[in-house]
Amino acid sequence: MSARSRNLQQRRHVAAPEATDMETLRFLNPETAREIAAKVGTPAYVYSEAELTTQAKTALAFPNAYGLTARYAMKSSPNAAILQVLDPRS
């Protein structure tokens, strides 16, 4: 079996995160996660505006060559609310 096949096989057997894993999140606690799930259903994607802003500033401050600028890849998550956080002019 090739290394690639073993890697793919291992990925299939990764267990779902335990409820205790939520305790490591910085902005979401289990109670709030349950409230959100009850309100909007699951799966639900919950984002921290503060974390999005911090990560965007970090990416924009990264040294770059030839005047390149970090851009948000809308294809990965075409969420209007995220776009508004990242570009307040929109």
Side-chain angles (χ1 to χ4, degrees):
M1 181 182 293
S2 72
R4 183 170 189 258
S5 296
R6 280 192 302 275
N7 190 18
L8 290 172
Q9 188 175 25
Q10 288 171 348
R11 284 192 219 165
R12 285 189 215 130
H13 297 292
V14 174
E18 297 294 324
T20 56
D21 291 341
M22 278 197 290
E23 296 171 9
T24 62
L25 295 175
R26 295 182 224 167
F27 67 95
L28 188 64
N29 60 45
E31 181 181 328
T32 306
R34 284 187 208 88
E35 289 172 7
I36 292 168
K39 183 176 180 180
V40 301
T42 60
Y45 297 94
V46 182
Y47 300 94
S48 165
E49 183 175 344
E51 191 66 27
L52 286 171
T53 303
T54 299
Q55 293 300 326
K57 286 179 182 177
T58 300
L60 289 171
F62 193 77
N64 57 62
Y66 311 109
L68 300 176
T69 302
R71 301 284 185 205
Y72 176 71
M74 192 172 123
K75 183 177 180 180
S76 67
S77 183
N79 183 314
I82 292 175
L83 294 172
Q84 289 174 346
V85 168
L86 297 178
D87 188 4
R89 297 171 296 177
S90 58

